[in-house]
Amino acid sequence: MYIHPPRFITRLFPSLRWGFDPDEYAGRVFLTFDDGPTPGVTPWIVETLGKFGAKATFFCLGKNVEQYPDLYRLIIDEGHVVGNHTYSHMKGWGTSPERYIEDVDLADSFIRSNLVRPPYGRITPSQARRLSERYNIIMWDVLSRDYSRILSPAACLNNVTRHMRSGSVVVFHDSLKAYRNMSYALPRTLEYAASLSLKCEPIVL
């Protein structure tokens, strides 16, 4: 999996948001968290962000929002933005546009956001075209790979700090699987951002 998306992929999907213009968004970065809300993880993320005065975007699974509404409310109450990560973490590849959009719309009944991120980044041109009629599809330009069990916490942090710049959209995960790496990398990423005078903001479109 690429840390920084190859140019040919971004050119193939020009309507998707792969990051923000570094000049227009100078001094700002956008941390995002996929797959939550998750008991024991979401509160820690929210608390850690709060210590640095940082705001983020949480791309939530509809099924998790349905199961943990209090954690979902915590995210919103602390001033963060939420986005749609489908209801069931559905892969776009090998799924009909109708079935995929049905899953996104089911999640929307719980999340109510105009932001969508496809799980695994796997989405077909047809799915992207139809979703773009009603949603802003947010990808990334920096993938931490915090979910990797063979990646060390220090390497996870390096994936972020090596590529992060003004306008970057950085992916972490709000999950038990990613917690080992994410819990090491997140506070250090926030410290690094502060050292560069980069403000962590939520995505608002």
Side-chain angles (χ1 to χ4, degrees):
M1 179 68 72
Y2 298 104
I3 306 304
H4 196 72
R7 186 164 295 180
F8 79 89
I9 293 180
T10 62
R11 287 175 174 172
L12 185 63
F13 292 94
S15 65
L16 278 56
R17 177 72 70 170
W18 295 93
F20 293 86
D21 182 84
D23 294 321
E24 183 179 353
Y25 291 87
R28 289 180 277 176
V29 293
F30 303 90
L31 303 186
T32 66
F33 297 86
D34 291 0
D35 298 349
T38 304
V41 179
T42 304
W44 182 88
I45 294 173
V46 169
E47 180 182 1
T48 302
L49 291 170
K51 290 178 180 177
F52 289 85
K55 300 300 180 185
T57 306
F58 288 74
F59 286 94
C60 299
L61 293 174
K63 64 180 182 180
N64 286 353
V65 173
E66 182 178 25
Q67 188 171 4
Y68 306 112
D70 290 345
L71 291 181
Y72 178 70
R73 178 52 55 184
L74 172 66
I75 294 169
I76 294 173
D77 287 348
E78 291 298 319
H80 304 290
V81 166
V82 293
N84 186 325
H85 200 44
T86 75
Y87 181 84
S88 58
H89 209 253
M90 180 170 285
K91 295 179 182 178
W93 297 354
T95 303
S96 71
E98 292 75 18
R99 178 70 188 93
Y100 190 78
I101 291 169
E102 179 182 281
D103 201 71
V104 171
D105 286 344
L106 177 58
D108 183 61
S109 67
F110 296 97
I111 297 169
R112 299 297 183 191
S113 173
N114 67 342
L115 307 178
V116 168
R117 171 172 288 159
Y120 312 101
R122 296 177 182 177
I123 190 169
T124 68
S126 176
Q127 292 162 353
R129 184 170 57 253
R130 291 180 57 178
L131 280 180
S132 293
E133 295 173 0
R134 292 183 290 126
Y135 300 97
N136 296 296
I137 304 176
I138 309 298
M139 302 298 273
W140 60 83
D141 66 326
V142 181
L143 182 66
S144 70
R145 294 190 67 234
D146 53 356
Y147 52 79
S148 174
R149 298 190 185 279
I150 63 172
L151 192 72
S152 72
C156 174
L157 174 63
N158 186 57
N159 285 342
V160 177
T161 57
R162 193 174 68 222
H163 294 285
M164 189 170 69
R165 57 172 188 155
S166 289
S168 283
V169 176
V170 181
V171 179
F172 288 109
H173 288 79
D174 180 2
S175 69
L176 292 172
K177 180 180 180 181
Y179 185 75
R180 177 183 69 107
N181 287 338
M182 184 274 295
S183 63
Y184 176 89
L186 177 58
R188 291 165 177 82
T189 294
L190 292 166
E191 290 171 354
Y192 179 75
S195 74
L196 298 179
S197 298
L198 292 173
K199 185 178 180 181
C200 298
E201 296 187 352
I203 297 171
V204 179
L205 295 173

